[in-house]
Amino acid sequence: MKRKLIAAIGIAGMMVSIAACGGDSGSGDSDKTGADAKELTVWLTVDAQNNWPQLVKAADAAVQKAHPGIKINHEYYGWPDKNTKLDAVLATDKVPDVVEMGNTEMLGYMVKGAFAPLDPAKFTNSSAWLDGLKASVTYDGKTYGVPYYAGGRVGNWRKDLFASVGVKSAPKTYAELTAALDKLQKKEGDKFSAWYQPTRDWYAAMSFVYDAGGSIAKEDGGQWKASLSSPESVKGLTEFKNVIDTYMHGDKTKDENDRYIVYGQGKSGMIFGAAWEGATSEDPKNDKTGKLKGNLENFVMPGPSGKNLPVFLGGSDLAVPVKSQAQAVAAEWINAFTGPSGQKGLMAKGNLPNNKTDLATLKKDPATAVPATAAESNWFVPMAPGWGQVEKAQILQTMLQDIGTGKKSVEAAAKDADSAIDKVINVK
């Protein structure tokens, strides 16, 4: 699930007010901790309102039982509107007490001091949070949010097409995968993409980078430095280029936003994307072949390293604005909402849980084993101060397009990307 990344200009103005009020909730100020708050305001996206309202009611009930008479207000927002409204209220003294954030949106707010630090020990299963999700709520050694739920990435291919070249089961190794792709590519010809992999899809490309032992950037002595031009990262980018060159015969300047639509057109045999994309492609309004229903299969993507390909986990986090006057009760509500019963309800709706304990239960169920297994190996963006302030997607997409179209060598494109990232990555 993709969230629009925030830009510094969107939060800079409202941070003047936040900085002026100070606001470390660890100070012990009873007014700030709000243990006896009489009212709580919770902002969530329409996902909760439309898909699991009963989980919201259950969390309300738990808090109301502990705090008789407390009034709990809810407001729901669409993803395109949420941050604009949030930025506006954070500049005032009437802030929500709990707010849902896309996990890629958290960093810029944490850097600027918009959210109160939280004690992970107060949240059930926090010791088992998935690594990538834990990273999304952690900055400078402190925790500023709680992972809510996640969505991962998997391989998906057309069983009918691969069966036509003698391949009858999903690949378990990268060698099996490429051998199957080679057979299909040879059969279908160069106007067909055995693997439709959009060149500018940096989520997929970085999975190859991390699989090879590389990274986008590394921290050393409190300073971050881009590392896409390291030997390990170049190895991963080179393999990604091999995929593009060998199996991707579509437009090599595109990103992944309409991948499910292209897949539904029947000119490709496989994709690597969000777990929902295959099912969306076979929806009758997207399936232009009339053959996808029952012929698409998700599988755990094997990586060139011999291990499962690490995947980016998109999802949502819950945070408490530093200016909230009900921080303690807000934390209680978040724990009630994201605790064991909440995670069970979210998993029943097709989401990945926020922790490894619950993920293990999904692995045992054949219906959910693939996305759960894939999610075990995951990565997240660098939690560097400047990463939340730059349109890093554009830097990475430009690098990948230059590599995929042959405009630059892998080494030259990676070096240029490192230079662009290094200019901003440590800037607060």
Side-chain angles (χ1 to χ4, degrees):
M1 82 191 47
K2 193 173 181 180
R3 308 300 188 220
K4 185 177 180 181
L5 302 174
I6 59 171
I9 192 171
I11 57 174
M14 61 91 175
M15 287 306 164
V16 174
S17 174
I18 290 174
C21 77
D24 184 338
S25 67
S27 66
D29 182 339
S30 61
D31 288 337
K32 293 299 291 181
T33 57
D36 298 321
K38 304 301 181 185
E39 191 168 350
L40 191 72
T41 298
V42 178
W43 279 19
L44 299 172
T45 67
V46 292
D47 297 334
Q49 182 181 33
N50 295 336
N51 300 318
W52 42 87
Q54 71 280 10
L55 302 183
V56 178
K57 291 179 181 178
D60 289 352
V63 170
Q64 288 166 339
K65 182 177 180 180
H67 301 271
I70 191 170
K71 180 182 179 182
I72 303 179
N73 308 305
H74 291 281
E75 295 187 32
Y76 295 94
Y77 296 92
W79 284 105
D81 308 319
K82 176 182 63 65
N83 285 358
T84 300
K85 296 178 183 296
L86 179 61
D87 293 351
V89 300
L90 287 179
T92 75
D93 290 325
K94 286 196 64 76
V95 299
D97 302 297
V98 177
V99 61
E100 178 180 351
M101 305 292 296
N103 61 4
T104 55
E105 298 171 336
M106 285 288 293
L107 181 58
Y109 287 87
M110 293 191 292
V111 170
K112 294 299 183 180
F115 298 144
L118 302 173
D119 180 0
K122 294 183 177 180
F123 300 94
T124 309
N125 276 333
S126 60
S127 62
W129 284 344
L130 296 174
D131 295 339
L133 302 185
K134 180 179 179 180
S136 75
V137 297
T138 305
Y139 176 70
D140 200 22
K142 294 183 179 181
T143 301
Y144 290 93
V146 175
Y148 171 10
Y149 68 94
R153 284 165 169 74
V154 298
N156 181 284
W157 71 1
R158 286 185 58 176
K159 293 186 293 183
D160 58 337
L161 291 181
F162 283 94
S164 73
V165 292
V167 180
K168 298 182 179 179
S169 61
K172 302 298 184 184
T173 68
Y174 196 69
E176 290 178 1
L177 173 63
T178 55
L181 290 166
D182 289 341
K183 291 178 181 179
L184 185 62
Q185 191 65 67
K186 181 178 180 179
K187 175 178 181 289
E188 297 293 337
D190 60 9
K191 294 189 181 300
F192 180 88
S193 295
W195 176 351
Y196 180 74
Q197 177 52 65
T199 308
R200 291 165 63 88
D201 177 7
W202 65 277
Y203 295 105
M206 294 305 104
S207 287
F208 280 87
V209 166
Y210 282 89
D211 180 69
S215 61
I216 298 172
K218 291 184 176 182
E219 184 180 15
D220 184 15
Q223 291 290 301
W224 286 81
K225 185 169 180 58
S227 55
L228 289 167
S229 59
S230 71
E232 296 83 1
S233 295
V234 167
K235 181 180 179 181
L237 289 170
T238 298
E239 184 54 38
F240 184 73
K241 175 177 169 55
N242 288 340
V243 168
I244 299 297
D245 290 347
T246 308
Y247 307 118
M248 168 61 177
H249 298 286
D251 183 348
K252 295 186 178 181
T253 66
K254 293 190 68 172
D255 63 22
E256 72 280 10
N257 286 334
D258 66 346
R259 172 169 46 212
Y260 68 94
I261 294 175
V262 175
Y263 194 31
Q265 294 171 348
K267 296 182 179 180
S268 53
M270 172 193 150
I271 58 173
F272 169 52
W276 54 263
E277 291 187 51
T280 306
S281 296
E282 69 178 21
D283 185 296
K285 66 176 177 287
N286 295 318
D287 179 10
K288 305 305 180 184
T289 71
K291 300 177 181 179
L292 299 187
K293 191 70 173 178
N295 268 321
L296 297 185
E297 178 182 19
N298 281 340
F299 60 91
V300 179
M301 274 292 291
S305 69
K307 300 178 181 180
N308 292 340
L309 195 69
V311 300
F312 177 84
L313 293 179
S316 284
D317 299 327
L318 297 173
V320 178
V322 73
K323 294 170 75 173
S324 165
Q325 299 297 311
Q327 292 179 17
V329 181
E332 290 180 39
W333 190 93
I334 291 173
N335 189 46
F337 190 53
T338 63
S341 60
Q343 292 300 305
K344 183 178 180 180
L346 289 166
M347 290 188 293
K349 294 293 184 178
N351 300 293
L352 292 175
N354 65 7
N355 67 88
K356 299 170 187 176
T357 304
D358 287 322
L359 192 71
T361 66
L362 293 183
K363 285 182 62 182
K364 297 176 182 178
D365 184 345
T368 54
V370 167
T373 301
E376 284 187 306
S377 179
N378 55 79
W379 61 272
F380 201 68
V381 297
M383 297 305 283
W387 189 259
Q389 300 183 49
V390 61
E391 190 49 70
K392 53 276 182 185
Q394 185 175 345
I395 294 174
L396 297 175
Q397 287 175 330
T398 297
M399 174 189 71
L400 294 172
Q401 183 169 317
D402 287 345
I403 290 172
T405 59
K407 182 178 179 180
K408 296 179 182 177
S409 68
V410 170
E411 293 79 4
K415 185 176 180 180
D416 287 348
D418 275 355
S419 179
I421 291 171
D422 280 337
K423 289 178 181 178
V424 296
I425 197 167
N426 291 298
V427 177
K428 293 186 178 180

